[in-house]
Amino acid sequence: KMRKVILLISVLAVIAIFYSFKPIEVQPNSSQIEIIDEDKGLVKWYTWEEAVAANKKIPKKIFVDVYTTWCGPCKMMDRNTFNNPEVAKYINEHFYAVKLDAESKEDIEFDGHTFTHVPNGRRGVHTLAVALLNQSMRFPSCVFLDENVARTSIVPGYMPPESFIKVLKFHAEEIYKTTSWDDYSKNL
């Protein structure tokens, strides 16, 4: 009889603890995105739709971080590179920054097309990520788009802040139009 009482008290304690926590509200497309305060010098992230809409009002280049939730180097980019104040400030000034989960299940409407999740293997893939990365699914990958939302470059792989700031300047200042990356990087 004492065991039943202890078991009942234990069950009630677990239930009380469970219901004492406030549920976390998850916004669409944000389950893996850390919302960052731009005033603290960190990146202001947009959804794809927000960036495209903002670009129509005030034209600006778009930078897309294509990642997956399981990717270690993607997490390192978030932690080390995107949280670097110099990198964040430069991105915020020159780009609309988008985080795109390459395995997202949310439909995205753009340019008369609906981009969707396609089941493939264990996780599947989002067709906008496939289009942006020109089918080369390497993570993380940074995609740079001009003010007309035309892709100018795909830069795959992890980059520390000091390297990434050079990549950002190469694209924001349109150096790529007159100089190859190899020539540009030699002069740094």
Side-chain angles (χ1 to χ4, degrees), residues 21-152:
F21 290 104
K22 181 180 175 188
I24 297 172
E25 293 182 26
V26 177
Q27 300 297 322
N29 291 329
S30 68
S31 62
Q32 299 298 322
I33 298 173
E34 180 181 353
I35 304 303
I36 297 175
D37 184 352
E38 184 179 14
D39 295 333
K40 292 181 181 172
L42 301 175
V43 176
K44 176 176 177 26
W45 294 106
Y46 295 81
T47 65
W48 175 264
E49 294 88 345
E50 290 168 342
V52 170
N55 183 55
K56 286 181 181 175
K57 291 179 183 173
I58 301 171
K60 201 175 186 182
K61 291 171 179 47
I62 298 174
F63 156 72
V64 184
D65 172 36
V66 184
Y67 73 99
T68 63
T69 58
W70 50 262
C71 166
C74 300
K75 293 174 185 177
M76 286 175 48
M77 279 289 279
D78 286 340
R79 185 173 49 253
N80 302 334
T81 306
F82 299 137
N83 280 331
N84 176 283
E86 182 185 359
V87 169
K89 183 175 189 248
Y90 197 87
I91 289 172
N92 292 337
E93 287 176 4
H94 298 279
F95 299 93
Y96 294 114
V98 175
K99 286 282 238 184
L100 179 64
D101 181 349
E103 298 172 343
S104 171
K105 292 183 172 46
E106 302 293 324
D107 289 354
I108 296 175
E109 301 285 332
F110 174 67
D111 201 26
H113 302 289
T114 301
F115 294 91
T116 62
H117 179 266
V118 176
N120 183 13
R122 290 183 2 204
R123 291 185 172 89
V125 67
H126 198 279
T127 56
L128 181 58
V130 173
L132 287 171
L133 297 178
N134 201 26
Q135 299 182 10
S136 179
M137 306 305 284
R138 295 169 42 189
F139 310 110
S141 283
C142 299
V143 180
F144 292 90
L145 307 168
D146 65 16
E147 294 83 352
N148 297 315
V149 196
R151 183 181 56 222
T152 59

